[in-house]
Amino acid sequence: MTSPIYSMDDVIVENLYVETEIDSDDDGDLDLVSIEVMRPKTEPGVQVPVIFEMSPYRAGLNPINFHDVDVDLTPVDDLVTAGVPLVEEMQTNDLGRLGNYYVPRGYGVILGESIGSGRSYGCPTTGDENEILGTKAVIDWLNGNAKAFTEDGEEVSADWSTGNVGMTGASYNGTLPNGVATTGVEGLKTIIPVVAISSWYDYFRANGAVVAPGGFQGEDTDNLAEGVLTRDNPEICEDVIAELYEEQDRESGDYNDFWAERDYVKDADNIKASVLVVHGLDDWNVKTKQFAQWWEALKENDVTRKMWLHQGGHGGTSANNWQETENRWFDYWLYGIENGIMDEPIVDIEREDGSWSQEADWPAVDMEETTLHFNAANDGEGGTLSMGASSSDGTEDFIDDPMIEAGQLAVDPQWSDPNRLVYLSPALTEEVRLSGTPEVKIKASIDRPAANLTALLVDYSGSSPEIVSRGWMDPQNRHSVEQSESIVPGQDYTFEWDMQPKDHVFQPGHQIGIVIMASDHEYTIRPPAGTEITVAPGNSEVTLPIVGDIESMKISAASLQTLVDQFAEEGAFVDEEALRSLDLHLTAVGHYENQEDAAKVVQHMQGFQDLLDHQLRNERISEEAYDSLQIQVDTLMERWDETVREAS
């Protein structure tokens, strides 16, 4: 690794303007972007590489007026044919984090202001070609392909630089490196995008649905641009903001040319730089689809890549010697120092307990797509997930109420709820790891020509459900994100959509749950309540990317015993005798399951059922425990009853 051999007392700091090749404010002059250059004082002839961060946030933010989301949805027939992630990093002293650390180690550090922000000219355009080319110009200058000037207009060269550049930054600051990398610009050797966007469509939309970044309900490209429009004379950008408003198309939510220009994934074949992806597995601002689709595109195009996934949200990580890894990565790609980093496994991933492991790829190489089928609820109960074919041949209804938050709709899965449907796996007998992208498919009808559809993947353990992933869609985009198609009220359709990619371990005793609902209060448009959605569970399923023994996901005496043990720990039984009697019955059931004696299994399960009923009547078991166990008992009894019937 490079060492801090240069004195901070001799740092050279320059404030310059770089001439771009764009005129985003249409004033007849090429835009200039403002940069601060910080570099060590070196011996004559000694050149240094550069670490570069461009940001629209250096001059702060204007107040943002978000779009109203409490509005009706628009049927396609009626159409006329980013959140604010991390603001500027906290400055620990004059040079900031990058300058303080890397300038003494022999790097130049450049902090730029994106077009339309701070002292830069032009207009912010939320991730399109103008912003990318405005950022690229700085790298061109470092390689002799663009001009830079002092505030007095004197032209300045970068003869102190090797021309080797690495870009980094978090959120918007990390998104710009993704876009610049797709230009294949000369001199850009590597990028480290942290919680960064790879497609702006997937930041503000999801499968045709208008979806907000977490925490910024109602935000879109236009008011994000207004927020970072901190240049002098901002009124010059009024037409640019108005154009963003029109072309982002909040009515249909379709993917169009506007979004294609802001989609870096499709241009990954142009990337020449290496990429070190850093993302939080719990990031609901720049959601996890951003890193997953970027990672896959890099792989498909043979881009040299490495990735760090941590358990945090919208930000970087300091755990697991991250600073050292970042340092070694830049040293290898900008100085050519052979330090072994390219010989390590390409994925570092943090687990829920804070431990770290290294893997050969992501999703995990031994991941298997596992389909679980929906089984309808009995009266007053929640439904189940099964690995075998569903036995349900009817339908279930729920009513959209956008004012109820998803967290409220995820609780009490053992009971029915008029505003959601829920399907539960048995209690897991072993840990099950999810690694990849869950996908939902339902057969359903809708009583209105427009609606939202939302799916939640939930980790259930006692009374504290954890929403692991979410996914949204506009049913009018059931065939394509590029074209909305009319919904005929009351007609059955098959809807398929993805949820956010995740890497999550479900612990033994926990249950995997799928919640199907309509509007998501925190993310989607919130139309008037009352839309009724009718689902056919027998033709509906979820596909999960599973690592581990899928046998642990089957309903059995063992899974029931695991659930009993979990409720015992929570004090659901009044005494040891009540618990012991249940254990004895389940031991017998497990014995006959192993012998595949269906008749005996049914006989002893009936005894288990009678015992549960007796304990409930005599208040020796909690109602929650009884209802949760009852769902699994019904499913297991039905399966073995069918075996008995087939045998006779």
Side-chain angles (χ1 to χ4, degrees):
M1 289 172 55
T2 49
S3 299
I5 62 173
Y6 291 98
S7 171
M8 291 286 283
D9 295 333
D10 298 323
V11 174
I12 299 171
V13 178
E14 300 171 282
N15 292 297
L16 305 174
Y17 290 92
V18 177
E19 184 179 74
T20 73
E21 57 187 284
I22 58 172
D23 179 13
S24 62
D25 55 13
D26 199 27
D27 66 354
D29 295 320
L30 294 176
D31 295 344
L32 301 177
V33 291
S34 168
I35 63 172
E36 181 179 25
V37 180
M38 298 168 283
R39 56 189 175 91
K41 183 177 181 180
T42 62
E43 296 294 327
V46 175
Q47 296 177 313
V48 298
V50 169
I51 296 170
F52 170 36
E53 181 188 56
M54 180 68 90
S55 175
Y57 297 136
R58 300 202 191 284
L61 284 166
N62 299 314
I64 296 178
N65 296 314
F66 297 116
H67 292 279
D68 183 9
V69 297
D70 296 315
V71 297
D72 210 341
L73 296 166
T74 307
V76 62
D77 292 342
D78 294 344
L79 289 176
V80 178
T81 323
V84 182
L86 288 180
V87 183
E88 174 76 1
E89 295 180 22
M90 295 299 293
Q91 302 290 305
T92 55
N93 67 31
D94 294 346
L95 305 186
R97 182 188 78 86
L98 292 174
N100 291 337
Y101 186 85
Y102 283 106
V103 170
R105 286 168 168 78
Y107 287 92
V109 170
I110 293 180
L111 303 180
E113 295 183 297
S114 187
I115 56 172
S117 69
R119 293 166 296 176
S120 292
Y121 294 72
C123 298
T125 47
T126 315
D128 77 341
E129 184 180 35
N130 283 329
E131 287 193 348
I132 300 310
L133 294 180
T135 304
K136 169 181 170 288
V138 178
I139 302 173
D140 286 333
W141 169 62
L142 291 167
N143 284 273
N145 299 317
K147 296 179 180 179
F149 304 91
T150 65
E151 294 181 347
D152 296 330
E154 179 183 351
E155 185 172 350
V156 179
S157 70
D159 54 4
W160 49 267
S161 172
T162 63
N164 292 342
V165 181
M167 289 192 70
T168 190
S171 198
Y172 208 144
N173 302 0
T175 299
L176 294 172
N178 281 343
V180 173
T182 64
T183 69
V185 59
E186 176 189 350
L188 182 61
K189 301 301 181 182
T190 192
I191 63 172
I192 304 181
V194 181
V195 291
I197 295 167
S198 57
S199 168
W200 285 89
Y201 180 83
D202 296 310
Y203 187 64
F204 289 118
R205 306 288 184 268
N207 301 301
V210 175
V211 173
F216 298 93
Q217 179 62 290
E219 186 184 59
D220 219 319
T221 66
D222 58 334
N223 42 36
L224 176 56
E226 288 177 317
V228 301
L229 178 56
T230 51
R231 59 161 286 177
D232 289 338
N233 305 317
E235 59 276 4
I236 198 173
C237 297
E238 288 179 356
D239 289 344
V240 173
I241 302 298
E243 186 176 2
L244 290 174
Y245 172 78
E246 291 296 330
E247 295 188 3
Q248 67 194 6
D249 185 10
R250 285 181 66 84
E251 289 192 317
S252 79
D254 291 352
Y255 182 97
N256 55 24
D257 290 343
F258 174 87
W259 296 110
E261 188 178 352
R262 294 161 172 81
D263 182 354
Y264 313 134
V265 176
K266 66 178 177 54
D267 297 323
D269 57 337
N270 297 323
I271 298 175
K272 298 177 182 177
S274 63
V275 183
L276 171 51
V277 176
V278 182
H279 215 99
L281 289 166
D282 198 33
D283 190 348
W284 287 101
N285 187 312
V286 176
K287 304 176 190 72
T288 52
K289 184 173 184 176
Q290 301 289 348
F291 87 75
Q293 63 189 0
W294 191 234
W295 183 249
E296 184 61 28
L298 298 175
K299 179 180 181 179
E300 290 176 355
N301 291 284
D302 297 320
V303 176
T304 302
R305 62 196 179 127
K306 186 174 176 66
M307 183 159 67
W308 271 53
L309 297 177
H310 60 86
Q311 288 293 323
H314 190 60
T317 177
S318 59
N320 202 29
N321 293 322
W322 162 248
Q323 181 67 82
E324 179 180 318
T325 297
E326 180 191 63
N327 192 166
R328 292 170 64 216
W329 184 263
F330 279 139
D331 283 353
Y332 178 85
W333 286 102
L334 302 183
Y335 265 118
I337 297 173
E338 294 289 346
N339 52 28
I341 196 166
M342 301 308 296
D343 300 323
E344 299 172 359
I346 63 173
V347 176
D348 289 78
I349 184 167
E350 184 183 18
R351 289 265 53 95
E352 289 80 354
D353 63 1
S355 63
W356 286 78
S357 62
Q358 292 186 310
E359 302 195 10
D361 205 347
W362 195 90
V365 294
D366 52 348
M367 178 272 288
E368 294 184 8
E369 300 284 357
T370 303
T371 298
L372 301 176
H373 302 274
F374 294 1
N375 294 279
N378 292 321
D379 290 341
E381 297 177 355
T384 61
L385 294 172
S386 65
M387 296 186 64
S390 174
S391 59
S392 301
D393 56 8
T395 61
E396 298 183 292
D397 303 330
F398 66 95
I399 305 295
D400 184 21
D401 187 342
M403 293 301 108
I404 303 177
E405 295 187 4
Q408 294 174 260
L409 292 173
V411 301
D412 298 327
Q414 70 275 18
W415 298 321
S416 64
D417 186 296
N419 304 118
R420 61 106 207 265
L421 299 176
V422 61
Y423 303 94
L424 275 179
S425 78
L428 303 175
T429 56
E430 299 177 17
E431 75 175 27
V432 171
R433 176 183 171 192
L434 184 89
S435 180
T437 303
E439 296 181 347
V440 176
K441 179 169 74 173
I442 65 171
K443 183 177 181 181
S445 64
I446 304 170
D447 73 345
R448 299 184 187 183
N452 293 310
L453 285 176
T454 299
L456 310 177
L457 174 66
V458 185
D459 186 339
Y460 283 104
S461 173
S463 58
S464 301
E466 175 188 355
I467 297 176
V468 175
S469 185
R470 308 184 194 218
W472 313 268
M473 83 167 298
D474 179 349
Q476 297 178 103
N477 291 90
R478 59 195 177 278
H479 294 135
S480 168
V481 296
E482 298 165 344
Q483 184 64 53
S484 297
E485 300 178 39
S486 298
I487 289 287
V488 177
Q491 180 171 317
D492 286 339
Y493 298 95
T494 296
F495 303 111
E496 300 181 56
W497 70 100
D498 61 344
M499 301 171 76
Q500 290 300 310
K502 288 290 175 175
D503 202 294
H504 177 84
V505 175
F506 294 86
Q507 295 297 325
H510 292 205
Q511 293 174 273
I512 299 172
I514 298 295
V515 177
I516 303 296
M517 54 193 237
S519 300
D520 187 340
H521 181 85
E522 297 159 282
Y523 292 91
T524 66
I525 299 294
R526 303 188 294 235
T531 299
E532 182 175 3
I533 299 173
T534 302
V535 176
N539 300 105
S540 304
E541 62 191 33
V542 61
T543 300
L544 302 178
I546 296 297
V547 180
D549 184 4
I550 60 175
E551 293 296 314
S552 66
M553 301 173 65
K554 291 183 177 180
I555 296 178
S556 64
S559 69
L560 277 169
Q561 183 66 66
T562 301
L563 197 55
V564 168
D565 292 343
Q566 176 184 305
F567 280 116
E569 291 180 5
E570 296 176 2
F573 303 99
V574 297
D575 53 39
E576 287 294 327
E577 182 182 348
L579 177 61
R580 186 163 52 251
S581 56
L582 292 175
D583 290 344
L584 288 172
H585 274 79
L586 289 177
T587 299
V589 173
H591 171 74
Y592 290 116
E593 275 186 329
N594 292 334
Q595 293 186 346
E596 298 187 356
D597 188 335
K600 291 287 188 181
V601 170
V602 171
Q603 176 186 342
H604 284 271
M605 280 302 300
Q606 187 58 58
F608 184 81
Q609 175 70 74
D610 294 341
L611 181 59
L612 275 181
D613 293 342
H614 173 77
Q615 291 186 350
L616 181 65
R617 285 194 302 270
N618 290 277
E619 299 182 347
R620 302 182 69 191
I621 184 175
S622 71
E623 188 173 345
E624 179 186 0
Y626 175 87
D627 289 334
S628 295
L629 288 166
Q630 187 64 60
I631 295 171
Q632 308 299 324
V633 168
D634 289 344
T635 304
L636 190 59
M637 286 277 282
E638 184 176 335
R639 176 157 64 87
W640 284 103
D641 270 336
E642 184 178 352
T643 303
V644 171
R645 289 193 298 270
E646 290 174 351
S648 61

